[in-house]
Amino acid sequence: MRRAKHVTEALLCCVTLLVIHRSSDSIRVIGGSMTVVQGEDVDLSCRLLETDEELEQITWQKRTLEEPENHNFLLIYPSGVTDFISPNGLENRVQFFGNQTEKIGSIRITAARLLDEGTFTCVFSVFPSGVYSIEIPLTVLVPPVMSVTVDVPPVIGENEVVLASCLAAGAKPQAEVRWNTDAFGSLVRTVTNSTQHANGTTTVVSHLLGVPTRAANQQQVPCVVNQSALATERTLAYTININYPPQTVNITLSEGTPATVFLCVADSNPKAIYTWTRVGQPWPQSAVRAEGNTLHLISLSSELNGLYSCEASNPYGRATGSQYVHVTSYTSAACWVLLVIIFLIVAAAAAGLVWYWWKNGKCLWSSFMDDHQFEAQSQVEEEEAEI
Ligand SMILES: *[C@@H]1O[C@H](CO)[C@@H](O)[C@H](O)[C@H]1NC(C)=O
Ligand SMILES: *[C@@H]1O[C@H](CO)[C@@H](O)[C@H](O)[C@H]1NC(C)=O
Ligand SMILES: *[C@@H]1O[C@H](CO)[C@@H](O)[C@H](O)[C@H]1NC(C)=O
Ligand SMILES: *[C@@H]1O[C@H](CO)[C@@H](O)[C@H](O)[C@H]1NC(C)=O
Ligand SMILES: *[C@@H]1O[C@H](CO)[C@@H](O)[C@H](O)[C@H]1NC(C)=O
């Protein structure tokens, strides 16, 4: 740079001092630092200004923390030919999109990787003044891999446990992780831990701690992650899941068609598995059918009368309820009613017959008697007459 200045000054010695200074100071390369999100494309721009000198070559160099020596990876000649020297992971991902005539040396790196991070140098070699360069630091941001996990599913209890963990892994720079615990107030607290990786990324874990109560079950606690590689902060929805054994077991009669159905319901998490049994008696195969938490009475006969018990169980415990089933009800009552009605009908019919017979029978008797009397009389008269 200094040598170039002297050469220029020497060439322009006849011109006024002001002009010499202006033209020599103005030859410069412009470009600036860049930041790219891993996986995206980035343009590294550089341009040589204020010179009409002949371009000999544009050279791109790179150095990193691990390799602090600058080494060339791309040569661009005025003819348009480009030459990759030591691609160091940039092969097939770097393209020149400048213009030699315009002394623009810009390159594009596609699908940026974390390893691309480093300091790039854009070097213009011009004749006769020499070499001008600019350093372009490239920062690669890595967005976090986010998730909400539970290592040990919380079970109802009285001691504080980890209810859930929010993870923002492998991020660069470190992500900001917090829980939105509005639903809980001061009943929960958070503990945040971070781990640095050798490649410059950081994993942050934020644990949500609280007492696993039944009231905490199914509460919404979103985890919010913010980091510069994310366009906007992310909210990971999460619903707390507390496991608890079946509590009380309720058995209700479901007034459905066609058969009579008993419903067994227990509050538990996860959902209970239900088992129906008949207490102290064999299961009446043809009269009753158990299906999950329902008990169907198929034929309403007294065969199914008895005590039935419903056991609800999940991996955390079990609870039992029972129901007495007694079928006098409809069928036998109806039979009795029918029998009584038939009896009454029969009785009424019999009474009617008797009355009819009695009434008409008496008339016949009396007329018969009259006839016979008459006959007897006449017989007597005849006898008398014969006599
Ligand atoms: C480079 O710039 C010159 C002059 O401005 C122009 O004529 C030429 O088309 C450009 N070349 C490319 C490849 O853009
Ligand atoms: C946080 O990290 C430290 C050190 O690795 C560890 O001892 C501690 O148990 C962690 N805390 C939680 C809540 O995971
Ligand atoms: C960085 O290192 C961590 C831990 O070794 C790894 O999980 C992660 O994938 C790495 N990230 C990148 C972008 O290479
Ligand atoms: C998220 O992070 C960005 C950059 O890290 C910051 O500018 C912004 O204010 C943050 N947003 C919130 C809501 O904290
Ligand atoms: C069982 O019945 C009681 C009293 O009616 C009620 O408070 C409770 O919520 C019911 N339980 C279930 C699981 O339906």
Side-chain angles (χ1 to χ4, degrees):
M1 193 84 173
R2 184 140 308 137
R3 195 178 66 83
K5 259 190 221 170
H6 290 311
V7 170
T8 315
E9 275 164 17
L11 282 170
L12 303 175
C13 61
C14 315
V15 193
T16 65
L17 204 66
L18 185 72
V19 173
I20 293 166
H21 272 290
R22 275 188 58 191
S23 77
S24 63
D25 284 348
S26 309
I27 301 181
R28 63 190 193 276
V29 189
I30 55 165
S33 63
M34 294 300 294
T35 298
V36 63
V37 173
Q38 175 178 261
E40 293 178 0
D41 299 351
V42 61
D43 293 346
L44 306 183
S45 305
C46 62
R47 182 172 194 174
L48 183 65
L49 292 181
E50 309 294 339
T51 180
D52 290 330
E53 291 182 54
E54 187 192 332
L55 178 73
E56 290 186 316
Q57 181 180 308
I58 303 170
T59 310
W60 276 95
Q61 303 175 327
K62 188 192 169 191
R63 67 168 190 271
T64 59
L65 279 179
E66 293 73 36
E67 292 181 69
E69 289 291 306
N70 266 332
H71 53 253
N72 301 348
F73 66 90
L74 180 62
L75 301 179
I76 301 142
Y77 302 104
S79 58
V81 175
T82 55
D83 223 4
F84 282 95
I85 299 167
S86 166
N88 59 15
L90 287 167
E91 61 253 78
N92 308 323
R93 291 191 299 118
V94 171
Q95 73 199 58
F96 174 67
F97 76 103
N99 184 324
Q100 292 92 331
T101 318
E102 298 269 334
K103 297 191 178 68
I104 299 170
S106 305
I107 55 169
R108 171 167 299 160
I109 300 173
T110 54
R113 299 175 186 171
L114 186 54
L115 288 174
D116 295 340
E117 184 164 289
T119 301
F120 290 77
T121 309
C122 170
V123 184
F124 287 91
S125 305
V126 291
F127 182 80
S129 65
V131 170
Y132 300 86
S133 66
I134 192 162
E135 293 192 340
I136 301 174
L138 176 67
T139 305
V140 178
L141 306 178
V142 184
V145 176
M146 296 166 281
S147 60
V148 179
T149 59
V150 180
D151 290 344
V152 182
V155 179
I156 201 162
E158 283 163 10
N159 298 322
E160 187 183 67
V161 297
V162 174
L163 299 174
S165 304
C166 187
L167 192 72
K172 184 174 162 294
Q174 178 172 336
E176 204 184 285
V177 180
R178 62 195 160 83
W179 291 92
N180 181 350
T181 57
D182 289 352
F184 283 99
S186 59
L187 293 173
V188 290
R189 63 191 184 97
T190 58
V191 171
T192 305
N193 253 9
S194 61
T195 314
Q196 284 235 282
H197 305 298
N199 59 17
T201 62
T202 307
T203 294
V204 176
V205 186
S206 182
H207 301 287
L208 182 72
L209 294 103
V211 175
T213 59
R214 229 180 99 202
N217 191 41
Q218 300 307 306
Q219 293 289 345
Q220 311 277 326
V221 273
C223 173
V224 183
V225 178
N226 192 21
Q227 198 246 7
S228 43
L230 303 173
T232 54
E233 60 175 31
R234 295 285 172 79
T235 301
L236 310 180
Y238 189 70
T239 305
I240 292 206
N241 191 40
I242 309 262
N243 295 296
Y244 56 89
Q247 318 265 310
T248 53
V249 173
N250 286 1
I251 299 175
T252 51
L253 185 61
S254 146
E255 307 286 346
T257 48
T260 311
V261 177
F262 283 102
L263 213 59
C264 179
V265 179
D267 179 25
S268 70
N269 186 30
K271 272 203 173 95
I273 290 171
Y274 296 91
T275 315
W276 286 95
T277 48
R278 193 184 193 189
V279 181
Q281 279 172 291
W283 187 262
Q285 284 298 345
S286 56
V288 167
R289 191 175 75 246
E291 249 169 42
N293 70 332
T294 57
L295 184 72
H296 298 255
L297 307 187
I298 307 163
S299 78
L300 297 178
S301 65
S302 58
E303 185 199 351
L304 53 72
N305 287 358
L307 188 62
Y308 292 81
S309 103
C310 168
E311 184 193 72
S313 69
N314 75 2
Y316 302 93
R318 56 196 62 232
T320 305
S322 55
Q323 174 71 41
Y324 192 73
V325 177
H326 186 66
V327 186
T328 48
S329 52
Y330 188 71
T331 325
S332 23
C335 274
W336 281 113
V337 168
L338 206 67
L339 271 175
V340 168
I341 289 170
I342 289 169
F343 173 79
L344 286 176
I345 289 170
V346 169
L353 255 177
V354 165
W355 177 78
Y356 178 80
W357 185 70
W358 176 77
K359 196 175 167 218
N360 292 307
K362 199 177 160 191
C363 294
L364 281 171
W365 181 258
S366 54
S367 62
F368 176 79
M369 286 299 282
D370 286 351
D371 288 351
H372 277 262
Q373 266 177 348
F374 175 74
E375 268 179 41
Q377 276 175 358
S378 56
Q379 251 182 348
V380 171
E381 278 170 21
E382 276 169 28
E383 277 170 21
E384 278 172 2
E386 276 171 23
I387 293 164

